[in-house]
Amino acid sequence: MHTDYFPLGIAQGKAFCNRVNERQRLAKNIKAHQHTLITSPRRYGKTSLVTFVMNDTGIPFANVDFFVALDAKACEEQLIQGTQRLLHQISSKPERLFNHIKDYFIQSKKKWTIGYKGVHLELIPDKENDPATNIMDVLLALESVLAKKRQHAVLFIDEFQEIGALPSAKALEGAIRHVAQETKYLLLIFSGSNRHLLNHMFDDKSRPLYLLCERMILDRIAEDDYVAFINNVAMKTWKKSLSDKTLEQLFTLTERHPYYINVLCNALWKNHMDQSHPPDAEAVSKYWQEYIHIEKTRISRELSQLSFGQRKILTAVSFGHTTELTGKHILQKIGITGPSVISALQVLEEKDLIGRKDDGSYFTIDPLMKASLRYFYQDAFEIQA
């Protein structure tokens, strides 16, 4: 039962927790044909949210993930594959679909190869065309088919910030903007986890995607909503709710990060064999410590990509030094200069490893990273209250 309610992948059906306001807002955007950008740190549930809403609306949609797209050609291939999946969903008559697509490319004088691979339509662009042109062509071809069928559809592009770091970023963004401005049936939903890059792509007047989308910032789920959801599952499992102390420990350790909530709950439900009593706060701490050791290699790999100064500042913030990081006391403790601290803070923010609150104080975004640093470097800094 634990895997049903606390998945480590996409949360669907009864495993989806709350997000009522976000679901309603996204559904309204889809109905109004408003292109939308959803931002949050990784593993906050962006894909789960979009999938849940799309399944509820019943509108055909396809998911494209740019996280695996290392260059412009890979972005092109991902979007072509997403288009093919959408076309397969919207037509029950392959021959008519084939003719619609063929007619579009003939009329637009585009040299695309159209055929079938098994039962699925396959679209192959002219090798001489650049990726930006091919992206524009295939998405406009999809819009043409949708318009003929008067069928709305959604293309969800995840980790969209990856496109912004490519040398041909402006050309690719320009192609997507052209499509977004032309479509009446194809809706685009973008999401990403690097807010610095996304803000630059969508807020900079010099970039093609400037003010294209309505913005949605996905925050952590409220504690009251988690309490209701988790205790509902606990009642089904143990006929008892989790104690307040157990829930407090769960929320303190994970800081209500959606992915880590599911990691810990998954472990609690899977490993707690005593069906007469639900797990306690000690069990929560035990599985969290085990998870820190399990993920040690991944955390170390992420830290190895930072400079010495950046690692020191990230560690200092994780130990509670969240303000006055250029003060004499902190500089003496970490052994680097004030300008180096300022530079490190900027890089860590850009990499979404730390965030800054309205009062100017910093915090570590990933609670597992924070917990790992505090556990493995206990003697580095005194932990602040």
Side-chain angles (χ1 to χ4, degrees):
M1 180 166 58
H2 64 282
T3 54
D4 291 335
Y5 287 101
F6 305 108
L8 302 186
I10 298 175
Q12 301 184 65
K14 58 188 177 182
F16 192 88
C17 177
N18 197 264
R19 298 287 192 201
V20 173
N21 293 335
E22 295 93 335
R23 283 155 45 193
Q24 291 175 346
R25 183 177 172 190
L26 183 57
K28 287 179 181 178
N29 284 2
I30 294 169
K31 186 176 181 180
H33 197 78
Q34 173 64 63
H35 303 299
T36 303
L37 169 64
I38 305 173
T39 62
S40 76
R42 290 194 67 197
R43 295 174 168 175
Y44 261 47
K46 298 181 291 294
T47 302
S48 295
L49 171 65
V50 175
T51 301
F52 190 93
V53 171
M54 291 310 307
N55 287 337
D56 198 41
T57 64
I59 297 174
F61 83 104
N63 184 4
V64 173
D65 191 349
F66 276 0
F67 187 70
V68 297
L70 301 179
D71 54 30
K73 192 66 179 177
C75 292
E76 170 200 306
E77 292 170 354
Q78 286 292 314
L79 286 170
I80 290 174
Q81 291 171 16
T83 297
Q84 291 172 170
R85 290 195 296 272
L86 268 179
L87 289 170
H88 180 70
Q89 289 182 51
I90 66 176
S91 179
S92 58
K93 298 180 179 179
E95 290 185 6
R96 184 174 296 180
L97 175 62
F98 179 88
N99 290 331
H100 281 332
I101 292 288
K102 183 178 179 181
D103 289 345
Y104 172 81
F105 284 119
I106 290 174
Q107 291 172 13
S108 59
K109 300 180 180 179
K110 304 291 183 180
K111 298 179 181 179
W112 281 60
T113 301
I114 310 163
Y116 277 91
K117 189 174 183 179
V119 297
H120 298 289
L121 187 71
E122 186 173 33
L123 306 173
I124 303 173
D126 186 343
K127 293 182 179 180
E128 296 181 3
N129 289 345
D130 60 273
T133 300
N134 290 333
I135 286 171
M136 187 162 57
D137 287 346
V138 75
L139 294 181
L140 289 177
L142 173 59
E143 169 68 11
S144 176
V145 172
L146 293 170
K148 286 184 178 181
K149 297 179 68 64
R150 296 185 179 278
Q151 171 68 62
H152 291 274
V154 170
L155 189 61
F156 171 44
I157 309 177
D158 199 6
E159 298 299 345
F160 186 69
Q161 76 274 346
E162 298 300 321
I163 209 173
L166 299 175
S168 56
K170 283 196 174 182
L172 298 172
E173 292 169 24
I176 290 172
R177 183 179 187 92
H178 177 79
V179 171
Q181 291 177 323
E182 292 286 326
T183 59
K184 295 181 179 178
Y185 291 91
L186 175 63
L187 181 71
L188 301 177
I189 297 177
F190 308 94
S191 79
S193 55
N194 190 311
R195 290 165 291 175
H196 174 79
L197 272 176
L198 289 168
N199 289 342
H200 186 55
M201 293 168 69
F202 286 87
D203 294 344
D204 188 334
K205 291 183 180 180
S206 68
R207 299 293 284 263
L209 299 174
Y210 176 64
L211 298 183
L212 174 68
C213 298
E214 179 173 325
R215 303 284 288 270
M216 288 181 60
I217 300 174
L218 207 60
D219 205 346
R220 302 186 184 191
I221 296 172
E223 184 173 312
D224 288 347
D225 296 322
Y226 265 135
V227 169
F229 180 83
I230 292 170
N231 275 337
N232 178 52
V233 184
M235 289 296 294
K236 294 178 180 179
T237 308
W238 298 288
K239 311 301 182 189
K240 294 179 181 178
S241 298
L242 298 186
S243 70
D244 291 344
K245 186 177 180 180
T246 302
L247 289 168
E248 180 182 0
Q249 184 73 336
L250 176 64
F251 299 146
T252 297
L253 295 177
T254 64
E255 298 178 5
R256 298 198 326 277
H257 187 295
Y259 179 76
Y260 296 126
I261 283 280
N262 276 15
V263 165
L264 266 188
C265 286
N266 191 289
L268 291 171
W269 261 257
K270 181 171 63 177
N271 295 307
H272 197 75
M273 298 299 152
D274 186 352
Q275 294 298 309
S276 60
H277 298 287
D280 57 18
E282 290 184 5
V284 174
S285 298
K286 171 189 172 184
Y287 293 125
W288 183 245
Q289 291 300 318
E290 289 181 359
Y291 189 61
I292 288 174
H293 284 277
I294 289 170
E295 292 295 299
K296 180 180 179 180
T297 301
R298 176 177 68 83
I299 295 296
S300 298
R301 189 183 304 117
E302 290 186 27
L303 290 172
S304 70
Q305 298 173 8
L306 303 176
S307 70
F308 172 77
Q310 291 158 13
R311 290 197 300 271
K312 292 285 283 187
I313 293 300
L314 179 59
T315 304
V317 172
S318 296
F319 270 83
H321 296 283
T322 60
T323 60
E324 301 179 354
L325 286 160
T326 55
K328 183 178 179 180
H329 174 68
I330 298 297
L331 294 180
Q332 289 178 340
K333 184 173 290 294
I334 61 180
I336 57 178
T337 65
S340 296
V341 170
I342 294 172
S343 176
L345 287 169
Q346 182 179 352
V347 172
L348 293 172
E349 278 196 271
E350 290 176 359
K351 291 179 176 290
D352 263 354
L353 291 171
I354 63 172
R356 189 163 17 173
K357 299 178 181 178
D358 292 339
D359 62 5
S361 63
Y362 292 93
F363 65 96
T364 308
I365 289 177
D366 187 331
L368 182 69
M369 174 72 76
K370 174 181 174 179
S372 298
L373 288 170
R374 290 168 71 115
Y375 183 81
F376 291 112
Y377 301 99
Q378 295 178 37
D379 298 328
F381 298 94
E382 71 274 14
I383 298 177
Q384 305 296 299

